[in-house]
């Protein structure tokens, strides 16, 4: 393979992009610094200028993924007119992120690979993304939609709903179930999220 020259500042990004391509095409198990270097078209020693080992590379990708997710959630929240609409928008944005960024999503929730005890940036970025949801539930509390003592429970439950839908869709299971129900995966996701939102709405009526 022809070696490609990168400006030092661009090499890190090129390596991360190459790693994402490997995850997309062959899965996380295929990732090694040697394979990533070959995918990026650089020498096998080049990755060590930026990443001490495989875990450091995966941790950097996880952090970047959570930052992207957090930005997507914040943007979705900003478009909503009410706290309840914001919760719906967050769940939809979460599922959409998994569909648009499957390599990131498959990696972000694998702490045994990114070793957060050694590389805390991913955990920090993950908490920042989670805070967008927590703040939205706090808005629901302020609006009288959620009882204050249930705020933490509702936050985790909403995350669980969104993450479960995202994972099932990404793994192809949601499409199979939707087909048995004579509907489509997008419509099924939307109906489930709306049903969950309706439960909260009825809880205050």
């Amino acid at each position: 393979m022809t070696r490609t020259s990168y400006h030092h500042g661009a090499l890190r990004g090129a390596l991360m992009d190459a790693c994402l391509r490997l995850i997309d095409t062959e899965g996380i198990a295929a990732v090694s610094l040697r394979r990533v270097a070959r995918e990026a078209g650089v020498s096998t020693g080049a990755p060590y200028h930026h990443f001490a080992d495989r875990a450091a590379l995966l941790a950097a990708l996880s952090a970047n993924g959570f930052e992207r997710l957090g930005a997507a959630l914040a943007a979705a929240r900003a478009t909503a007119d009410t706290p309840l609409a914001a919760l719906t928008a967050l769940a939809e944005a979460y599922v959409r992120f998994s569909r648009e960024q499957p390599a990131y999503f498959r990696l972000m929730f694998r702490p045994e690979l990114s070793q957060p005890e050694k590389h805390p940036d991913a955990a920090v970025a993950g908490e920042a993304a989670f805070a967008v949801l927590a703040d939205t539930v706090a808005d629901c509390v302020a609006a009288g939609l959620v009882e204050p003592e249930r705020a933490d429970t509702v936050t985790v439950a909403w995350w669980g709903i969104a993450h479960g839908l995202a994972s099932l869709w990404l793994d192809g299971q949601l499409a199979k179930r939707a087909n048995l129900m004579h509907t489509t995966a997008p419509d099924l996701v939307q109906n489930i999220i709306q049903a969950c939102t309706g439960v909260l709405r009825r809880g205050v009526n």
Side-chain angles (χ1 to χ4, degrees), residues 73-74 76-78 80 82-91 129-143 145-146 151 154-155 158 200:
L73 295 178
R77 182 187 180 199
T82 67
L84 206 55
L87 275 183
T88 299
L90 290 188
F130 187 80
V132 179
L133 173 58
D135 290 344
T136 303
V137 173
D139 291 340
C140 290
V141 172
L145 300 170
V146 174
V154 170
T155 301
W158 206 259
L200 282 180

Side-chain angles (χ1 to χ4, degrees), residues 11 15 33-34 36-37 42-52:
L11 175 59
L15 292 167
L33 291 187
R34 181 178 293 274
V36 169
V42 298
S43 70
T44 56
Y48 293 96
H49 292 293
H50 293 281
F51 306 106

Side-chain angles (χ1 to χ4, degrees), residues 53-118:
D53 52 25
R54 178 178 184 263
L57 171 58
L58 295 178
L61 277 173
S62 293
N64 190 255
F66 277 118
E67 288 167 1
R68 288 170 180 256
L69 175 60
L73 295 178
R77 182 187 180 199
T79 64
D81 296 331
T82 67
L84 206 55
L87 275 183
T88 299
L90 290 188
E92 292 172 345
Y94 194 103
V95 175
R96 186 165 56 250
F97 177 87
S98 75
R99 297 288 294 164
E100 294 176 351
Q101 306 288 347
Y104 274 119
F105 194 80
R106 293 185 189 282
L107 172 63
M108 287 157 54
F109 300 96
R110 297 287 302 275
E112 77 278 12
L113 299 177
S114 58
Q115 299 180 10
E117 68 280 2
K118 296 180 181 178

Side-chain angles (χ1 to χ4, degrees), residues 6 10 26 35 39 45 74-75 80 82 86 113 123 133 141 156 166 184 190-191:
Y6 291 99
E26 299 183 39
R35 283 294 311 278
E39 179 72 20
T82 67
L113 299 177
L133 173 58
V141 172
V156 175
T184 65
Q190 186 176 39
N191 289 338

